[in-house]
Amino acid sequence: MRRVYLDHAATTPVHPEVVEVMRHYMLQDWGNPSSIHSFGREARAGVDEARAKVAALIGADPEEIVFTGGGTEADNMAIKGTAWELRNKGDHIITSAVEHHAVLHTVEWLEKQGFRATYLPVDEYGMVDPGDVERAITSSTILVSIMAANNEVGTVQPVAEIARICREKGVRFHTDAVQAVGQLPIDVHALGVDLLSLSAHKIYGPKGVGVLYVRRGVRLTPLLHGGAHERKRRAGTEGVPGIVGLGKAAELARLQFDQRVEHYRRVRDLLWERIRERVPEVRLNGHPTERLPNNLNLSVLYVEGESMLLNLDMKGIAASSGSACTSGSLEPSHVLLAMGIPHEVAHGSLRMTVGVSTTEEDTAYVGESLGEIVDRLRAMSPLWNARVR
Ligand SMILES: *Cc1c(COP(=O)(O)O)cnc(C)c1O
């Protein structure tokens, strides 16, 4: 059976060149980077090279790159690290209602520790209004955290404008750029951010490794204490194979940026066309233009998202309903609800995210398969049959 993976926002396959370099740092240069002997120095060289490659991808200096155990840890480090560092300065954190749970649940946890939080609303496309950020900032605000692009609906936030407002007001700004990196041109100076999170496994790298970019001069209280690794910002022997894998993935993301983005946009647009041709009463969720090139999020009216997912899976097609982290729960996506999408429409939502290996034939197969599935499910749906036309 044909298998089509359309869940690249959840994770991506590891690029063979990434596997190759990781293999080398497991079988050959497996030393501890902190050791002064040649075994250690070889491993250190690999980590240094990876740091330079990640820095080049986002326009940072290598010293501003802190390796973490993934995007979730980078988000936690940015938010808790700032909260603890600046707790004598203020207790107020601003974020948005559509953040990834790695941000939302971290801020909610800090509220239980006595911090105060504002969750900014979004418009019907999932976009934050920079004016709302400006109005929410008070003298006790210590951090604003707004994602660069949404993992569910793909909406790209006006991050540069928000960063400018924060800078003017002297408030630290963090962005979760896990989905944006590799899909949007990300330059930390052009964006004007203080802290930025990214993750290897969303850009054809390995799982369990990420980065927090920390602008020079920005101080954070560390989450982990121990050795002096990562300039005392993250203790623990470096996960060398993962780090060099991320370095290679970052290098490929930089060198292949234009061709990948062009490919994503082409197959994503084809996919949407094939689906619209075959499935009546389907809506696009998220912004029509200000969205990630690989993201399609749609609602099929009168059909349950979970039923479509199971049926697509039986046809070898891997998609998602909202975020992978919440699937299994019956609550519709917090992102779609924040956009004001009614419960019943949110329940019929599907996220399809294309990748480098998605083909034109895949889009035709998915359009036809989804068409058959929706026809079948709607034939059994009293709501569909009773609908007012
Ligand atoms: C995947 C993702 C994360 C979490 O990254 P992990 O490396 O899986 O911990 C955080 N934020 C966004 C927007 C993501 O898409």
Side-chain angles (χ1 to χ4, degrees), residues 31-35 43-44 47 51 66-69 73 77 208-210 222-241 243:
N32 183 326
S34 299
S35 304
R44 170 61 57 199
V47 172
R51 200 183 302 282
V66 181
F67 289 114
T68 68
E73 188 188 322
M77 186 186 284
V209 58
L223 300 183
L224 303 181
H225 298 87
H229 310 88
E230 298 297 289
R231 298 172 167 242
K232 298 197 183 156
R233 294 173 296 190
R234 204 268 191 182
T237 301
E238 298 85 345
V240 180
I243 287 171

Side-chain angles (χ1 to χ4, degrees), residues 51-206:
R51 200 183 302 282
K53 285 175 176 169
V54 175
L57 177 66
I58 60 171
D61 285 337
E63 313 86 76
E64 297 174 314
I65 301 298
V66 181
F67 289 114
T68 68
T72 299
E73 188 188 322
D75 287 342
N76 272 260
M77 186 186 284
I79 297 165
K80 291 178 188 165
T82 294
W84 291 329
E85 188 69 22
L86 302 182
R87 68 186 321 160
N88 293 323
K89 202 170 159 254
D91 62 356
H92 181 227
I93 299 167
I94 298 171
T95 187
S96 83
V98 297
E99 299 297 310
H100 189 274
H101 285 145
V103 167
L104 275 182
H105 291 167
T106 302
V107 175
E108 285 167 10
W109 181 81
L110 282 169
E111 280 188 284
K112 291 193 205 135
Q113 314 293 311
F115 288 89
R116 292 176 308 121
T118 299
Y119 301 91
L120 296 175
V122 292
D123 66 12
E124 61 190 305
Y125 302 118
M127 205 175 279
V128 173
D129 177 353
D132 284 346
V133 177
E134 187 156 17
R135 285 182 287 274
I137 293 176
T138 70
S139 57
S140 54
T141 306
I142 50 175
L143 180 70
V144 173
S145 178
I146 304 288
M147 68 201 323
N150 186 266
N151 47 297
E152 293 188 34
V153 295
T155 301
V156 177
Q157 301 294 350
V159 164
E161 202 178 335
I162 295 170
R164 187 183 51 73
I165 290 165
C166 291
R167 171 138 317 176
E168 274 170 22
K169 302 248 181 192
V171 176
R172 196 179 277 194
F173 180 62
H174 165 250
T175 191
D176 175 336
V178 171
Q179 293 291 332
V181 166
Q183 297 206 60
L184 302 173
I186 296 289
D187 179 286
V188 290
H189 295 290
L191 288 178
V193 299
D194 298 306
L195 299 158
L196 177 145
S197 306
L198 64 87
S199 175
H201 77 101
K202 306 288 175 77
I203 54 167
Y204 306 95

Side-chain angles (χ1 to χ4, degrees), residues 214-225:
V214 183
R215 178 185 295 281
R216 184 173 287 113
V218 170
R219 288 183 58 86
L220 294 171
T221 301
L223 300 183
L224 303 181
H225 298 87

